[in-house]
Amino acid sequence: MPRILLVEDETDIADTVRYALETAGFGVDHAPTAGEAESLASAGRHELAILDIGLPDIDGLELCRRLRRHRDLPVIFLTAQAGEIDRILGLELGADDYVTKPFSPRELVARVRVVLRRGQRQAEPPSRAGGFEHDLAGRRIRYRGQLLDLTRYEYGLLAALLQRPGAVLSRGQLMDRVWGDALESGDRTVDTHVKTLRAKLRSAAGDAEPDAIRTHRGLGYSLDVEAGPA
Ligand code: CA
């Protein structure tokens, strides 16, 4: 039974959504605050999160960023105003979907099913690409068969690139995804970690291998999955 993390401070809405999800065969953990959501999410047993944007402690967008720092959790936002939709899209958080209040619980359940199906389709191929083997649950990455010994931030960077092989991610997007609101920040933070990451990839694959991380001047970085034998 897939478990959903539901973060919503309005009891009526939370009860309605919980009932609809449970009727549809989902397990539901409900948190009325972002703080409680973070501790529930730390067990890593949810397949999707439904996040209200207006929460009493931190907002749903910031919560999304924090949850995604540990793993790539599919997220559907609940929004109360059109302005919030612009913020979701503007922040490039990679929201999987959003629904605007008031919404029909049946429609929300349908969206949940679509997002989960999409996730299942994508789960297999990206976990093995261009010589990389990504064990998401164990937060481990192998390259050319060798387990990489990565720091938390190197892992985050490589995982973000692996999630969308070939796509160019800007330094800002990588900062947001990997460092979130950490104090250490600035463009050079990303560059420094890319440098150490490249060195580790080289030592795993040998100097003859082409560089798997490609620099796009003024744009950012991408993972070159065509670089070598898969
Ligand atoms: Ca609210």
Side-chain angles (χ1 to χ4, degrees):
M1 178 169 69
R3 288 202 79 81
I4 311 286
L5 176 63
L6 169 64
V7 190
E8 167 62 75
D9 57 321
E10 284 168 71
T11 315
D12 291 354
I13 297 177
D15 288 349
T16 310
V17 171
R18 177 199 277 276
Y19 178 76
L21 286 169
E22 286 178 348
T23 306
F26 294 101
V28 178
D29 289 320
H30 170 233
T33 63
E36 283 173 68
E38 280 193 276
S39 57
L40 279 173
S42 64
R45 60 186 186 141
H46 302 108
E47 299 197 23
L48 182 143
I50 298 173
L51 308 181
D52 182 30
I53 298 209
L55 292 169
D57 39 4
I58 58 168
D59 73 20
L61 299 169
E62 175 58 25
L63 175 61
C64 174
R65 206 177 278 133
R66 293 190 189 182
L67 297 177
R68 290 257 179 93
R69 205 175 296 161
H70 306 293
R71 54 185 284 243
D72 191 44
L73 185 68
V75 165
I76 297 178
F77 285 109
L78 304 179
T79 75
Q81 324 148 10
E84 290 177 345
I85 298 171
D86 294 339
R87 286 181 63 210
I88 296 173
L89 302 176
L91 285 171
E92 301 181 72
L93 282 170
D96 296 285
D97 208 344
Y98 59 85
V99 295
T100 311
K101 295 176 180 178
F103 55 87
S104 110
R106 278 175 58 190
E107 189 197 338
L108 177 59
V109 169
R111 303 277 188 100
V112 166
R113 287 208 177 95
V114 168
V115 170
L116 288 177
R117 263 203 304 274
R118 201 190 292 154
Q120 279 160 7
R121 261 207 315 275
Q122 288 173 351
E124 278 314 303
S127 66
R128 274 171 184 275
F132 290 94
E133 217 177 297
H134 187 186
D135 167 11
L136 267 163
R139 296 172 60 78
R140 282 184 296 254
I141 300 176
R142 285 174 187 276
Y143 184 50
R144 308 271 178 242
Q146 277 206 51
L147 186 63
L148 299 170
D149 181 19
L150 302 174
T151 66
R152 173 183 159 202
Y153 292 132
E154 289 164 354
Y155 170 81
L157 271 180
L158 190 52
L161 291 166
L162 267 170
Q163 200 200 340
R164 295 175 61 199
V168 179
L169 298 182
S170 69
R171 289 178 176 81
Q173 283 171 313
L174 289 168
M175 275 311 297
D176 212 40
R177 187 56 85 81
V178 182
W179 278 267
D181 60 357
L183 289 174
E184 186 191 12
S185 63
D187 286 357
R188 262 183 299 173
T189 309
V190 174
D191 296 345
T192 307
H193 285 81
V194 165
K195 199 173 163 189
T196 58
L197 188 52
R198 276 179 166 145
K200 289 182 181 179
L201 295 180
R202 258 199 313 277
S203 80
D207 286 332
E209 288 278 344
D211 198 342
I213 300 175
R214 194 179 281 186
T215 304
H216 301 261
R217 290 212 181 282
L219 295 173
Y221 296 101
S222 71
L223 197 69
D224 190 358
V225 289
E226 315 282 305

